[in-house]
Amino acid sequence: MKKLLAMLLCFAMVSALVPAMADGGTYTVFYGSEVSTLNYLVTSTTWDQSMAANIVDCLVEYNNLGQIIPSLAESWEVSEDGLVWTFHLRQGVKWYDCFGEEKAEVTANDFVAAMKYILTPEYESAVASQVYSAKIVNAEAYYNGEVTDFAEVGVKAVDDYTLVYTLSAPVPYFLSATTYVTFLPAYGPLLEELGADFGLDNQSLYYCGAYILETFEPQSEHLLVKNQNYWDAEHVYIEAIHRLYNAESATLAPVAALRGEVDSADIDNDILDDWLTNHPELVTKGRADLQYSYFYCFDFVPQYEEEYDPANWVKAVNNKNFRLSIMAAFDRVYSLTAEDAENPESLLANVITPPAFASVGDTDYVNLPAFDAAKAKYYSGDNTAAIAYKEAAIAELTEAGATFPVKVVLTYKSSDANWANQVQLVKSQLEGVLGTDYIDVVLYAGPSDNFLSSTRRAGKYSIMRCNWGADYADPETWTDPFAAGNSYNFMDKMLDSEYAETVADLNTYYAMVEAAKAEVSDMDARYQLFAKAEAFLIENAFVIPYRTETADYMVTKIDAFEGEYASFGVCNLKYKFQHLQDDFITAEENAASFAAWQEALNN
Amino acid sequence: MLKYLLKRFARSLLTLFLILTIVFILVRQMPIEGYFPNFEKMTQEQIDNGLHQMGLDQPMIVQLGQFYWNLLHGDLGVSRVYNRGKPVWDILKTKIPISVQLGSLSILFSMLVGLPMGVIMAKRKGKLADHLGTGFIVLIQAVPAAVYYLFIQLYGTELLGLKLRFEPENWVSWLLPILSLSLGNIAYYAMWLRRYMVDESTKDYIMLARIKGASDGRIMYHHIFRNAFVPMAQYLPTSFLNTVVGSIYIESLWSIKGMGGLLVDVVHKQDNNMILGIVLLFACVGILGLMLGDLLMVLFDPRISIVKKAGED
Amino acid sequence: MSLWKHAKLDKLEKDAGDALREALSEEQLFSVAPFHEEDVEITGSSDYSYWRSTLRAFRHNRVAMALLILLAAILLFTFIQPLLPGQFDPTAIANGPNGLPLKNQPADGVHWLGTNAIGQDLWARVWAGTRNSLIIGISVALLEAFVGILMGVLWGYVRQLDFLFTELYNIIDNVPTTIVLILVSFLMRPGMGTIIFAMSITGWIGMARFVRNQVLIIRDRDYNIASRTLGTSTWRIILRNLLPYLVSVIMLRMALSIPGAIGSEVFITYIGLGLPIEICSLGNLINEGRKLMMSPSLRYQLIYPTIILSIVTVSFYIIGNAFSDAADPRNHV
């Protein structure tokens, strides 16, 4: 009966809210695939986390310039040795249920309970290993059952408002790590009660963030309504977010936007031309998400079919001049038109670490002088360098017994239209510069499901676009794909091979990485060392950096540059701080706010 | 007949068992990457733990035994990826009614239009009506459904002033999806009925009936239509079930919360319990459809016997 | 309204009467004919040939003949087109003056149907796509027909096999095609062979069931029972009594299964398991084009492949129908 009453109350509230929302307060969008769970403690997909980011707050968050600001923690301090982080929580922040009823206060115990939940194997959290990478004492040991008492894990509630994390090694980027789902709080008694059923629907979790998920109908709609009692309610401007499910939203949402059914829609690359012709004033560009990086790998242990002659490829790829000839011939901007037809240069990355990820003094990591030599080796508009490398490679490889043309297996995902277009451009461009008597690029289609298992991880490629996302906000995270035992280019398998040149280069590289990892006190020196190692990898063409994450073209009523800006964590996904305009933002306004944002960023 | 039905029913159980076992084994051949959206970043312990939680680390025969044990207790398990933690049956039972409603309306509409169309076309063979009907059938056959569904949706909603998404409470909103869903069936019914009727009309018994002096109308409906309907009848239940099961195109385009595309979705997501639940459901209705079809055929054509006759080898 | 009267039949009756009247006098007509032993041995024989009559009947259908010629021309042209002057390779990328791909270029003198999103010639792609789709469609139809008819006749005629086949049908029909497709796509690489295999592996059972139902309907007709009573072998009954009866319906079904296969290629592409994009097919082209339906300046990329697909489908449909009419021996009189 009580539940029924609550439901009725809920309906009454919704109907009371509807007229209030009509004055431009509801932001309506289509979404194309359903979240798989609301349980933010177990999921690792960005889309699932986009819900969490708006309904639960982190210890700290970011402003739109990427600076860390207090959120649930009002202040914090770190011990001298960098091993103990103490957070002082904001008092009076409450948990609410989906009907907006106050349930309890958010205390330090809720952070401890949530972490315990993540580290309990039974709940199959996909993000447990992110707790280890933040170097929380005994986290991995507890997960693996080597430590059975959770009290021994490095997270403690000293009192209701004091939370202490103990680390096994200094983690300079710890503060940013707390903005990932692994450090979000969850009401302890509720976790205890529901166990695996936590987050089954919108009634089986509590809310302490800017929004409350009032309606959650999978494959139908989500209605996020502003939490009127939110501690920072004055910075939440959009009254409600109404997400409507449509599996064909990529095709239908732009039409729906023109008809006024939605307030925002992505303009995919394939229809961009048409929109720029017919509605140029409405096409705006969002803010690039810099948490991912894309790069072309050379496979040192190819496992594909004999017909593509993997043995010949092994000879070729271990020749530095051969790799450099491909790097020097590779006009990356040309093939990037498959992903951003309008402004391909804006995606180009010359370094694996994305821009704005780290900086030394005032210099962005990607602009450090260490990378200058590497940058000189890219395609520069003329083919002379590529031809020189090619001739050197032909001479050396002929002696080594390789045959020409070398078959280059270029692997891609067949169901990804942009990627398929891209590899066709790469093939055409590389063969155009280097000649089909030198290389024969074979396009190799991978399946749409279990793609990585059957392509990259199985070594079924010669060169392939790979990607990696940051696990934490330190350049070390970008060395992981090339570490020993990687499933990317398998180059470490060459360490005891007959190819002296490769072996020497690899030894140099791994030594450089070790040196960088050992530097934990002086951050500038640490970053410089990582930059040197990364530059070495690029200069010797073990990998060719390709692009950053794309910034979506869209037609929208909210200004992307108002939102939180972070190179790591879930804060980018918050609607907080953003305003909903009455009309679509014009291209001019978009350009102006981008310029203003850039300006502010640089000051 | 009763004995036959009982036998048939027992055999259906066997079929069901075979189907479920085969699908059960097939889905377990999928690579383990598909079970973990975060496979890239998981440690071996986490992967092993995940497999253990799903019971995938046990011998196939144990897993199969567990599955049937649970099934006998009416437990289909919970979804793992599609709607994590929710019991499979709870998910299905919200989706079935909407697809059944839409499918039934569409089949009704298709029969109301398609069958008379086939009869008229056969009757007016070679005349204008026949050509017009053929033109329609040809058009439906020719343009890919993927294209004309989208066309109907985009321009239909504009014309009727509707929203792009289906709104169940607004009856006008039902028209376009039902129309889209029906066009293929209408063409199918009309085409085959016409074909069978034309074939039938050249047979000797028709000539006899005509010589006897039976009226054209009587010949048409009592002889030709009834005989031509026999092969159609067997197809009807399957076509009904196919339609009711939903169309992935239509339900995706209109955001209809039905069964259409559900299977494709969960297979892509490797949600094993969901796959088996849906297969069980589809297999049951499929087998039922086959039985029903055979029965209908016997009902319409007394010459057909499925029951083994005595004395035959 | 002499709807069900056969004009030809009427004429035959009339002609026969006239001929008799002309040949014999009134007296001869009504006198007792003597018995000639040698005349008994003379049997009625004609130069009737089933296939010749079928062809003759088919040739009478002008529309179908025209479409057959059109279809043959299209098929031939898909092979000739790359040899013509001024043609592009369907995968070659044209560059614009800025050195970047000449994307979304409307039709002009160089690119007769314009270019696609990465500067590939749409004219060349449409023809290459038509060729590949026809190859897929015909291969699938032939494979399905061959296996399907063989199995279907056995299924319908040999009662002992009914159990086995019905089980097989139920299983194949109920094991979701998507699972099979995904497993096939995991075991085999995306490509023409794979897609033909994937479509046929489950497709034949539909044809088999169809044939089986037809056989069930006519199996116990009197003339077959008579044949059996006379000790005709099962195979002979199948080949001589059953199959000719089925030719017309099978032909129609086959003619439809070619565009059907082309259509399911569109569907398979839609659910993300189609051909790799550098192998053009109508499925790929239409699926790419679908997204452009509401983009007036790019819509041509959807329209051209759809037109070709429609022509091919319509042709097969009408030819199939005409041929099945022609193949029906009852229409040969």
Side-chain angles (χ1 to χ4, degrees):
Chain A
M1 198 57 210
K2 218 172 176 178
K3 205 169 169 185
L4 189 76
L5 209 68
M7 292 267 279
L8 282 173
L9 211 72
C10 177
F11 281 130
M13 267 176 59
V14 175
S15 40
L17 269 172
V18 170
M21 283 187 268
D23 53 36
T26 301
Y27 174 64
T28 309
V29 281
F30 280 175
Y31 67 101
S33 76
E34 187 51 83
V35 298
S36 67
T37 176
L38 294 177
N39 184 347
Y40 51 89
L41 299 177
V42 301
T43 183
S44 61
T45 63
T46 311
W47 180 235
D48 289 354
Q49 291 171 355
S50 74
M51 191 67 90
N54 288 295
I55 59 177
V56 181
D57 265 2
C58 314
L59 283 169
V60 296
E61 61 188 322
Y62 289 82
N63 63 13
N64 72 331
L65 299 176
Q67 292 151 339
I68 289 179
I69 54 173
S71 183
L72 287 181
E74 273 182 322
S75 64
W76 54 89
E77 66 253 356
V78 57
S79 67
E80 199 79 356
D81 56 4
L83 294 180
V84 180
W85 287 78
T86 310
F87 293 87
H88 303 286
L89 301 190
R90 189 178 299 279
Q91 301 194 8
V93 178
K94 299 285 167 36
W95 289 109
Y96 300 90
D97 65 10
C98 70
F99 309 111
E101 270 181 60
E102 187 180 313
K103 286 297 180 184
E105 187 166 19
V106 179
T107 67
N109 297 308
D110 299 329
F111 290 86
V112 179
M115 186 156 287
K116 183 178 180 186
Y117 188 95
I118 292 172
L119 292 175
T120 305
E122 189 194 332
Y123 299 132
E124 286 185 67
S125 173
V127 292
S129 55
Q130 258 79 349
V131 183
Y132 323 159
S133 66
K135 307 230 164 58
I136 301 284
V137 165
N138 280 338
E140 187 160 10
Y142 182 81
Y143 184 89
N144 294 338
E146 293 148 20
V147 166
T148 47
D149 185 2
F150 193 74
E152 288 177 44
V153 179
V155 53
K156 296 252 162 5
V158 175
D159 58 51
D160 275 359
Y161 306 109
T162 312
L163 178 65
V164 176
Y165 290 102
T166 317
L167 314 183
S168 58
V171 176
Y173 44 83
F174 186 74
L175 211 48
S176 70
T178 64
T179 61
Y180 195 59
V181 288
T182 42
F183 289 89
L184 293 183
Y187 185 53
L190 190 69
L191 284 180
E192 202 69 34
E193 182 196 330
L194 294 176
D197 288 342
F198 177 74
L200 201 59
D201 53 33
N202 60 336
Q203 300 188 18
S204 54
L205 76 165
Y206 290 159
Y207 305 81
C208 70
Y211 291 91
I212 288 175
L213 182 57
E214 217 173 69
T215 310
F216 174 67
E217 276 193 58
Q219 282 79 37
S220 177
E221 61 176 321
H222 307 155
L223 181 62
L224 286 153
V225 179
K226 180 178 170 182
N227 180 358
Q228 300 298 342
N229 302 310
Y230 182 55
W231 65 270
D232 196 16
E234 58 176 315
H235 288 121
V236 180
Y237 307 112
I238 305 175
E239 280 298 322
I241 294 142
H242 198 190
R243 305 204 282 203
L244 301 169
Y245 178 73
N246 187 283
E248 288 265 6
S249 65
T251 311
L252 296 178
V255 183
L258 284 181
R259 294 189 186 171
E261 282 181 49
V262 296
D263 299 315
S264 180
D266 284 350
I267 308 296
D268 283 354
N269 198 41
D270 41 19
I271 55 167
L272 182 59
D273 254 10
D274 183 73
W275 273 71
L276 286 173
T277 314
N278 295 319
H279 316 283
E281 73 289 352
L282 294 182
V283 180
T284 63
K285 202 170 182 183
R287 202 178 54 186
D289 176 2
L290 298 177
Q291 303 193 2
Y292 287 89
S293 179
Y294 294 77
F295 41 87
Y296 272 87
C297 280
F298 290 95
D299 183 7
F300 285 82
V301 187
Q303 307 279 348
Y304 42 78
E305 293 81 351
E306 277 307 312
E307 60 178 304
Y308 304 125
D309 206 355
N312 197 42
W313 171 257
V314 172
K315 288 186 190 131
V317 78
N318 278 292
N319 182 293
K320 195 187 289 182
N321 280 318
F322 179 82
R323 295 198 307 267
L324 283 168
S325 71
I326 295 204
M327 181 168 170
F330 187 12
D331 181 359
R332 294 165 300 158
V333 173
Y334 183 81
S335 54
L336 279 171
T337 52
E339 309 199 43
D340 184 344
E342 255 338 275
N343 195 0
E345 291 90 354
S346 67
L347 295 178
L348 190 65
N350 289 321
V351 174
I352 292 168
T353 305
F357 184 81
S359 57
V360 177
D362 281 343
T363 316
D364 191 319
Y365 181 86
V366 300
N367 295 327
L368 288 175
F371 291 111
D372 288 350
K375 285 173 187 165
K377 302 213 167 161
Y378 289 118
Y379 178 82
S380 57
D382 75 284
N383 306 336
T384 34
I387 302 297
Y389 286 128
K390 169 187 167 183
E391 261 138 33
I394 290 180
E396 289 166 13
L397 282 173
T398 313
E399 199 178 322
T403 52
F404 291 96
V406 176
K407 286 205 168 78
V408 182
V409 174
L410 180 57
T411 302
Y412 69 100
K413 193 178 196 167
S414 58
S415 55
D416 182 336
N418 284 353
W419 196 348
N421 282 340
Q422 184 188 99
V423 290
Q424 295 184 77
L425 293 170
V426 171
K427 173 183 160 79
S428 159
Q429 195 265 327
L430 278 183
E431 287 181 349
V433 173
L434 293 171
T436 45
D437 52 345
Y438 179 64
I439 49 165
D440 172 14
V441 179
V442 181
L443 299 184
Y444 192 98
S448 58
D449 297 288
N450 294 294
F451 173 72
L452 292 176
S453 290
S454 43
T455 56
R456 199 199 72 213
R457 291 177 157 269
K460 290 202 191 285
Y461 74 98
S462 315
I463 57 175
M464 177 176 167
R465 195 192 77 191
C466 303
N467 72 315
W468 180 252
D471 280 344
Y472 41 85
D474 184 87
E476 185 185 335
T477 193
W478 301 100
T479 64
D480 290 347
F482 312 102
N486 75 67
S487 66
Y488 275 70
N489 61 0
F490 309 99
M491 65 181 189
D492 55 303
K493 303 274 192 310
M494 287 288 119
L495 276 170
D496 46 8
S497 72
E498 65 205 83
Y499 300 101
E501 190 184 42
T502 312
V503 173
D505 284 346
L506 288 175
N507 280 323
T508 315
Y509 170 72
Y510 285 128
M512 289 166 108
V513 172
E514 283 314 310
K517 281 186 189 169
E519 178 61 70
V520 290
S521 49
D522 180 353
M523 280 304 116
D524 284 359
R526 179 184 169 91
Y527 291 179
Q528 294 277 12
L529 287 171
F530 272 115
K532 254 177 74 185
E534 192 176 327
F536 180 84
L537 205 61
I538 303 168
E539 268 167 58
N540 292 290
F542 280 93
V543 60
I544 308 175
Y546 188 62
R547 71 160 169 90
T548 56
E549 191 63 274
T550 51
D552 297 326
Y553 284 95
M554 46 182 154
V555 44
T556 183
K557 288 184 183 169
I558 59 177
D559 181 358
F561 301 103
E562 289 177 344
E564 299 195 18
Y565 185 59
S567 55
F568 180 75
V570 298
C571 292
N572 277 340
L573 305 165
K574 290 180 191 274
Y575 288 106
K576 192 176 170 181
F577 298 126
Q578 298 187 316
H579 291 89
L580 180 66
Q581 316 285 340
D582 287 337
D583 292 308
F584 289 119
I585 291 172
T586 65
E588 271 167 59
E589 290 165 355
N590 177 244
S593 59
F594 175 70
W597 178 70
Q598 280 273 311
E599 172 85 26
L601 211 53
N602 293 334
N603 289 328
Chain B
M1 202 61 187
L2 189 71
K3 201 177 141 209
Y4 166 75
L5 279 179
L6 280 175
K7 233 170 87 182
R8 190 75 197 254
F9 180 72
R11 254 182 58 189
S12 301
L13 283 182
L14 174 72
T15 312
L16 208 57
F17 171 76
L18 285 175
I19 291 169
L20 286 176
T21 307
I22 287 173
V23 172
F24 190 91
I25 293 168
L26 278 184
V27 293
R28 273 155 183 78
Q29 307 308 310
M30 305 261 211
I32 55 168
E33 180 189 343
Y35 295 119
F36 306 103
N38 197 30
F39 193 63
E40 276 295 281
K41 304 229 164 176
M42 288 174 85
T43 59
Q44 194 55 46
E45 287 80 31
Q46 279 181 281
I47 293 168
D48 292 344
N49 173 54
L51 293 177
H52 179 71
Q53 297 293 336
M54 286 182 273
L56 289 174
D57 54 346
Q58 290 177 12
M60 186 71 78
I61 188 79
V62 178
Q63 294 184 39
L64 204 57
Q66 187 65 43
F67 168 72
Y68 279 113
W69 180 253
N70 290 340
L71 188 62
L72 285 177
H73 293 78
D75 178 12
L76 288 170
V78 297
S79 159
R80 201 189 131 73
V81 189
Y82 184 75
N83 198 341
R84 189 182 165 111
K86 200 158 184 187
V88 169
W89 179 242
D90 287 357
I91 296 175
L92 293 183
K93 77 178 175 205
T94 61
K95 292 186 171 287
I96 296 170
I98 183 101
S99 284
V100 169
Q101 278 173 26
L102 210 63
S104 314
L105 285 170
S106 153
I107 282 288
L108 198 70
F109 183 66
S110 316
M111 289 188 24
L112 283 177
V113 178
L115 296 182
M117 195 169 135
V119 172
I120 292 171
M121 284 170 70
K123 219 165 148 180
R124 309 243 169 206
K125 191 183 166 215
K127 301 237 174 72
L128 182 69
D130 188 22
H131 292 316
L132 280 179
T134 309
F136 166 76
I137 293 168
V138 162
L139 195 75
I140 293 303
Q141 297 272 343
V143 184
V147 175
Y148 74 73
Y149 286 169
L150 190 61
F151 185 86
I152 291 178
Q153 186 187 19
L154 289 175
Y155 291 95
T157 49
E158 200 170 17
L159 209 69
L160 298 176
L162 289 170
K163 295 211 164 174
L164 283 167
R165 287 169 90 254
F166 174 68
E167 302 159 290
E169 64 282 352
N170 178 3
W171 69 270
V172 191
S173 186
W174 288 74
L175 297 180
L176 294 172
I178 289 175
L179 178 71
S180 307
L181 205 51
S182 306
L183 285 177
N185 275 329
I186 293 177
Y188 192 95
Y189 293 157
M191 176 176 83
W192 285 103
L193 191 61
R194 175 193 175 275
R195 173 89 255 133
Y196 290 129
M197 283 184 70
V198 169
D199 280 357
E200 211 63 32
S201 67
T202 56
K203 288 186 179 158
D204 295 343
Y205 75 97
I206 298 295
M207 211 180 294
L208 179 70
R210 189 160 48 80
I211 290 165
K212 240 171 51 181
S215 73
D216 278 343
R218 198 184 153 77
I219 292 174
M220 198 66 221
Y221 297 107
H222 282 251
H223 299 281
I224 299 178
F225 179 75
R226 185 147 179 213
N227 278 303
F229 195 68
V230 172
M232 296 279 306
Q234 213 210 6
Y235 173 75
L236 278 179
T238 321
S239 119
F240 180 73
L241 293 171
N242 280 340
T243 314
V244 163
V245 155
S247 153
I248 175 169
Y249 287 126
I250 304 256
E251 297 197 356
S252 305
L253 283 169
W254 292 91
S255 314
I256 294 169
K257 296 176 278 181
M259 301 288 295
L262 186 59
L263 185 65
V264 173
D265 199 11
V266 296
V267 172
H268 276 304
K269 287 178 172 157
Q270 272 182 239
D271 196 331
N272 289 356
N273 286 340
M274 282 293 286
I275 296 176
L276 282 157
I278 300 172
V279 167
L280 176 69
L281 181 76
F282 284 8
C284 287
V285 288
I287 291 168
L288 213 66
L290 199 71
M291 282 171 70
L292 225 63
D294 281 351
L295 280 180
L296 272 183
M297 229 163 63
V298 177
L299 276 178
F300 276 93
D301 189 345
R303 284 171 302 180
I304 299 172
S305 75
I306 319 175
V307 193
K308 207 169 172 181
K309 281 178 190 157
E312 260 184 55
D313 53 6
Chain C
M1 192 171 77
S2 62
L3 187 59
W4 304 110
K5 276 186 187 156
H6 248 288
K8 276 184 192 165
L9 209 63
D10 291 343
K11 188 167 177 288
L12 204 68
E13 280 167 19
K14 195 166 158 279
D15 291 352
D18 291 346
L20 279 176
R21 261 190 296 279
E22 273 170 33
L24 305 168
S25 66
E26 192 84 353
E27 198 174 308
Q28 280 169 311
L29 267 174
F30 293 98
S31 61
V32 181
F35 177 78
H36 299 291
E37 206 160 341
E38 57 272 28
D39 283 1
V40 176
E41 298 303 315
I42 299 172
T43 52
S45 86
S46 75
D47 56 351
Y48 173 81
S49 146
Y50 173 73
W51 288 107
R52 202 182 317 134
S53 309
T54 304
L55 278 180
R56 193 174 50 225
F58 183 77
R59 270 205 303 273
H60 278 294
N61 190 330
R62 295 243 174 85
V63 180
M65 273 310 281
L67 285 175
L68 183 67
I69 292 165
L70 178 70
L71 203 56
I74 287 178
L75 190 62
L76 195 67
F77 189 72
T78 60
F79 288 94
I80 293 174
Q81 179 269 334
L83 308 173
L84 296 176
Q87 301 298 311
F88 291 88
D89 185 290
T91 57
I93 291 153
N95 286 338
N98 59 355
L100 293 180
L102 188 69
K103 61 191 167 61
N104 297 329
Q105 180 78 13
D108 59 27
V110 183
H111 298 285
W112 297 346
L113 297 183
T115 64
N116 71 358
I118 55 167
Q120 293 167 324
D121 184 57
L122 201 59
W123 167 261
R125 287 182 77 75
V126 166
W127 287 113
T130 310
R131 179 171 61 236
N132 289 336
S133 287
L134 280 173
I135 292 174
I136 293 173
I138 293 171
S139 311
V140 172
L142 286 178
L143 263 171
E144 277 183 20
F146 179 73
V147 181
I149 293 172
L150 195 72
M151 297 299 170
V153 169
L154 283 175
W155 182 1
Y157 202 86
V158 186
R159 277 171 200 260
Q160 292 91 329
L161 289 178
D162 188 61
F163 179 80
L164 186 79
F165 273 112
T166 310
E167 283 313 299
L168 199 63
Y169 174 80
N170 285 337
I171 290 165
I172 293 185
D173 199 45
N174 286 294
V175 172
T177 332
T178 328
I179 294 181
V180 178
L181 285 173
I182 288 182
L183 277 177
V184 168
S185 81
F186 184 71
L187 296 174
M188 298 164 73
R189 292 199 26 238
M192 294 265 278
T194 307
I195 210 163
I196 292 172
F197 175 77
M199 280 192 218
S200 317
I201 192 172
T202 51
W204 66 269
I205 198 88
M207 177 66 117
R209 175 147 186 258
F210 179 82
V211 172
R212 172 251 188 187
N213 289 342
Q214 298 294 321
V215 170
L216 264 190
I217 293 169
I218 50 183
R219 184 184 61 188
D220 292 337
R221 297 263 161 97
D222 295 342
Y223 64 95
N224 284 323
I225 294 173
S227 257
R228 259 206 305 277
T229 320
L230 290 172
T232 319
S233 76
T234 304
W235 269 115
R236 198 177 156 79
I237 292 179
I238 289 172
L239 286 177
R240 292 281 162 157
N241 294 9
L242 289 181
L243 270 185
Y245 192 93
L246 295 179
V247 163
S248 76
V249 213
I250 287 172
M251 273 301 177
L252 178 59
R253 216 187 142 91
M254 253 185 85
L256 290 182
S257 80
I258 295 176
I262 297 174
S264 43
E265 196 240 315
V266 178
F267 176 73
I268 290 174
T269 314
Y270 175 78
I271 63 170
L273 299 170
L275 284 173
I277 203 159
E278 83 273 7
I279 302 179
C280 303
S281 70
L282 292 174
N284 269 339
L285 291 170
I286 287 173
N287 217 50
E288 278 174 64
R290 253 180 103 247
K291 300 174 199 147
L292 310 174
M293 185 176 278
M294 290 308 272
S295 306
S297 63
L298 302 175
R299 206 178 279 153
Y300 67 94
Q301 294 178 27
L302 171 65
I303 292 175
Y304 298 132
T306 308
I307 288 176
I308 281 282
L309 182 82
S310 306
I311 293 177
V312 169
T313 313
V314 169
S315 304
F316 272 111
Y317 173 79
I318 292 183
I319 292 169
N321 259 322
F323 192 82
S324 93
D325 277 344
D328 189 342
R330 286 158 304 200
N331 287 340
H332 285 182
V333 191

